[in-house]
């Protein structure tokens, strides 16, 4: 059985929406909590999306005890971590599962973790992670689709990360926290989620300085202990709801956000005609005079985030004029074919999308290609005239907590439906052979 969203568009979204905890932070922090050999960590503001479920289930298979209590706080007890082989069936679902490699090497001195495969947003290698582990003294081999690594205790090292990479920065911070001596990560990623992890690890007893700058210095410690921590709010989810307000011609207050984390997107949103009233931890967003075309290039933080490229393109489909969007991080334009099915006029040339605004989008059956594409198609559907059926929505559940409930709370018409879609073609062969 698979599920789809059925969205009846054309209603301006109104009201307030509470942003959840940042998925990308939570994934790193939950993995980090497993570094503790003393005490239990209690994590607040953890979004209950399926990527979080994946990291929790992997850690559980490695021996870690975790559960959500009655108040939605996640308890993580890393003391029982005792297995070093991460299961392929779960790891293959999510690239951030590779964070277990840094944790296992640091805690057990051994890690066997499947290499994350290709995915819908193009090739996403982990060569920088692996090179970092080697530079810290691990013996690393790639065998039968697994990274197999072992070490006595990881040694501090000076590591230059070729391209500012969030995942590499996170994984090496996790590993180096329990290493011997000083590790410096040069050209480190500066994303808020990296800073969030550093603050959390320091709360566990780690000694990390410089997170949020190009150079992070980690003084390894002998052991880490559990702590209590609240994950930052999700800037990508926040940006998605801001764009949803604009594209539907509505007005939404987006609550529980860190405005500073959304600086670049908000500059671009204002340039395209959105009105943003800024409060302390919230913004109220509308686009009373419609949207205008803009040019944007994605780049690492503090630049415009690649994770908000797709929802932005959806909004620009209805803007006045021609926009040019250059994607510099991932191969992330496959979803554009689906937007075209809804009447969008988008042309893709290599890493650039050229979007000619149209007066209206129309509902159509569409398929989600990746997480942020799912969000883009959903907000396009909310603005479109008529009904859109979005297939493959389990991908949206990976990173948007309670998506349809939040949209319904804003007056959008969206339902989750089980489909009778043919998924097992093999079993249908019998009908053909009759
Ligand atoms: C993280 C985010 C993802 C976001 C991305 C960029 C998480 C769980 N995911 O992904 O939502 O879109 O940052 O902001 O936090 N690269 C290599 N070799 C490596 C590692 C990366 O070539 O070993 C390349 C990637 O292919 C990509 C670039 O470096 O072109 C940046 O990737 P990276 O920042 O590592 O992305 P993720 O950590 O996977």
């Amino acid at each position: 059985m698979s599920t789809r969203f059925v969205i009846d568009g054309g209603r301006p979204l109104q009201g307030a929406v509470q942003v959840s905890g940042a998925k990308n932070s939570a994934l790193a922090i939950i993995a980090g909590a497993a570094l503790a050999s003393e005490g239990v960590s209690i994590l607040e503001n953890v979004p209950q999306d399926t990527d979080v479920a994946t990291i929790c289930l992997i850690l559980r298979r490695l021996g870690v005890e975790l559960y959500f209590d009655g108040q939605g706080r996640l308890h993580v007890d890393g003391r029982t971590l005792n297995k070093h082989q991460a299961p392929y069936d779960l790891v293959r679902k999510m690239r951030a599962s590779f964070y277990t490699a840094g944790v296992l090497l640091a805690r057990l001195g051994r890690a066997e973790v499947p290499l994350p495969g290709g995915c819908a947003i193009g090739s996403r290698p982990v060569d920088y992670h692996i090179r970092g582990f080697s530079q810290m003294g691990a013996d690393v081999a790639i065998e039968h689709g697994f990274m197999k690594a072992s070490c006595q205790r990881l040694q501090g090292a000076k590591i230059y990360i070729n391209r500012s990479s969030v995942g590499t920065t996170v994984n090496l911070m996790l590993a180096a926290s329990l290493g011997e001596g000083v590790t410096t990560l040069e050209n480190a990623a500066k994303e808020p989620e990296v800073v969030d992890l550093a603050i959390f690890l320091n709360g566990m007893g780690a000694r990390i300085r410089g997170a949020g700058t190009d150079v992070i210095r980690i003084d390894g410690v002998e052991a880490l202990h559990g702590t209590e921590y609240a994950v930052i709010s999700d800037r990508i989810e926040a940006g998605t709801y801001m764009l949803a307000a604009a594209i539907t011609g509505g007005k939404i207050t987006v609550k529980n956000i860190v405005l500073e984390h959304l600086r670049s997107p908000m500059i671009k949103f204002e340039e395209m005609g959105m009105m943003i009233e800024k409060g302390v931890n919230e913004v109220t967003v509308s686009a009373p005079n419609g949207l205008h075309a803009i040019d944007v290039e994605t780049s690492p933080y503090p630049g415009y985030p690649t994770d908000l490229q797709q929802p932005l393109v959806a909004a620009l489909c209805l803007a006045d004029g021609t926009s040019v969007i250059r994607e510099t991080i991932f191969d992330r334009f496959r979803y554009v074919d689906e937007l075209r099915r809804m009447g969008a006029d988008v042309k893709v040339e290599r890493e650039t999308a050229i979007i000619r605004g149209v007066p209206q989008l129309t509902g159509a059956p569409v398929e989600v290609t990746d997480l942020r594409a799912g969000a883009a198609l959903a907000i396009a559907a909310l603005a479109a005239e008529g009904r859109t059926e979005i297939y493959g929505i389990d991908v949206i559940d990976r990173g948007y907590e309670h998506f349809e409930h939040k949209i319904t709370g804003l007056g959008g018409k969206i339902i989750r439906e089980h489909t009778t879609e043919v998924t097992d073609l093999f079993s249908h062969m019998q009908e053909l052979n009759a």
Side-chain angles (χ1 to χ4, degrees):
M1 183 87 78
S2 68
T3 51
R4 68 180 171 203
F5 281 144
V6 178
I7 296 179
D8 286 313
R11 286 152 216 270
L13 297 186
Q14 308 276 359
V17 63
Q18 189 81 13
V19 171
S20 300
K23 168 186 82 84
N24 289 349
S25 248
L27 296 174
I29 286 174
I30 294 167
L35 287 170
S37 49
E38 295 158 29
V40 176
S41 288
I42 301 176
L43 307 177
E44 283 181 40
N45 209 29
V46 174
Q48 294 201 21
D49 52 46
T50 56
D51 270 5
V52 163
T54 301
I55 195 80
C56 289
L57 291 173
I58 293 171
L59 290 171
R60 193 174 266 180
R61 296 249 203 118
L62 296 172
V64 177
E65 288 179 11
L66 325 87
Y67 67 93
F68 279 101
D69 67 19
Q71 282 124 43
R73 298 180 309 178
L74 182 67
H75 295 236
V76 186
D77 185 348
R79 290 174 293 192
T80 45
L81 177 81
N82 59 3
K83 298 188 186 67
H84 68 276
Q85 289 166 312
Y88 176 71
D89 60 331
L90 288 168
V91 170
R92 73 185 174 86
K93 293 183 189 297
M94 181 183 75
R95 183 177 154 82
S97 310
F98 207 65
Y99 293 164
T100 51
V103 171
L104 289 168
L105 272 176
R107 274 292 302 284
L108 305 180
R110 266 184 100 181
E112 286 187 21
V113 183
L115 298 173
C119 77
I121 59 171
S123 165
R124 298 177 74 181
V126 283
D127 50 331
Y128 304 163
H129 304 230
I130 291 173
R131 197 173 316 135
F133 296 143
S134 298
Q135 284 176 271
M136 294 172 74
D139 261 330
V140 187
I142 307 296
E143 281 171 20
H144 308 293
F146 278 71
M147 183 203 76
K148 298 186 178 179
S150 59
C151 57
Q152 287 297 325
R153 184 176 173 195
L154 289 168
Q155 298 297 309
K158 194 167 179 177
I159 299 170
Y160 181 88
I161 302 172
N162 267 348
R163 188 175 178 184
S164 164
S165 153
V166 175
T168 311
T169 307
V170 164
N171 225 342
L172 298 182
M173 261 165 61
L174 294 170
S177 293
L178 287 175
E180 187 164 11
V182 178
T183 298
T184 45
L185 304 179
E186 310 235 359
N187 197 31
K190 299 193 278 277
E191 269 67 2
E193 294 76 18
V194 168
V195 178
D196 207 28
L197 174 66
I199 298 170
F200 169 69
L201 291 174
N202 284 343
M204 293 175 71
R207 293 171 60 201
I208 302 173
R209 277 181 285 155
T213 74
D214 292 315
V215 183
I216 300 179
R217 178 188 158 110
I218 304 138
D219 285 70
V221 296
E222 295 274 344
L224 294 168
H225 53 78
T227 186
E228 292 194 19
Y229 194 70
V231 173
I232 52 167
S233 76
D234 197 309
R235 63 197 165 100
I236 307 301
E237 189 197 14
T240 305
Y241 287 115
M242 290 166 80
L243 288 163
I247 192 175
T248 61
K251 186 170 186 177
I252 300 181
T253 301
V254 184
K255 292 174 170 281
N256 182 35
I257 64 170
V258 182
L259 270 74
E260 180 57 26
H261 296 168
L262 283 149
R263 243 174 83 80
S264 298
M266 286 200 294
I267 290 170
K268 285 297 173 185
F269 294 170
E270 284 177 331
E271 195 183 318
M272 66 197 262
M274 283 163 61
M275 296 253 301
I276 305 179
E277 297 160 41
K278 298 177 180 119
V280 180
N281 286 319
E282 62 180 48
V283 287
T284 299
V285 182
S286 59
N289 303 313
L291 297 172
H292 326 293
I294 52 165
D295 294 347
V296 177
E297 182 169 303
T298 61
S299 56
Y301 191 85
Y304 188 91
T306 174
D307 287 349
L308 278 177
Q309 176 258 108
Q310 291 129 308
L312 175 68
V313 167
L316 291 173
C317 287
L318 288 172
D320 184 23
T322 301
S323 304
V324 178
I325 305 295
R326 194 161 162 261
E327 171 58 67
T328 70
I329 315 286
F330 292 120
D331 171 12
R332 240 177 184 175
F333 281 131
R334 274 178 49 185
Y335 71 104
V336 158
D337 288 336
E338 303 301 301
L339 280 177
R340 281 199 203 104
R341 294 162 60 78
M342 299 176 71
D345 182 351
V346 187
K347 201 163 118 193
V348 176
E349 280 172 10
R350 296 159 75 92
E351 75 285 350
T352 304
I354 299 155
I355 305 132
R356 290 191 185 82
V358 292
Q360 189 153 56
L361 294 172
T362 47
V366 291
E367 169 97 33
V368 174
T369 49
D370 66 85
L371 168 58
R372 306 302 169 185
L377 292 172
I379 67 168
L382 288 164
E385 181 262 313
R387 176 166 289 192
T388 298
E389 289 160 6
I390 305 185
Y391 290 81
I393 59 167
D394 49 324
V395 185
I396 299 178
D397 296 330
R398 289 185 52 181
Y400 289 88
E401 187 183 43
H402 308 316
F403 184 71
E404 70 265 40
H405 299 128
K406 291 187 183 184
I407 294 294
T408 305
L410 294 167
K413 230 175 150 214
I414 177 170
I415 51 170
R416 181 183 290 258
E417 256 185 21
H418 296 295
T419 69
T420 51
E421 189 188 352
V422 176
T423 48
D424 180 7
L425 281 170
F426 198 69
S427 68
H428 286 266
M429 283 301 281
Q430 275 182 342
E431 290 169 31
L432 299 172
N433 282 320

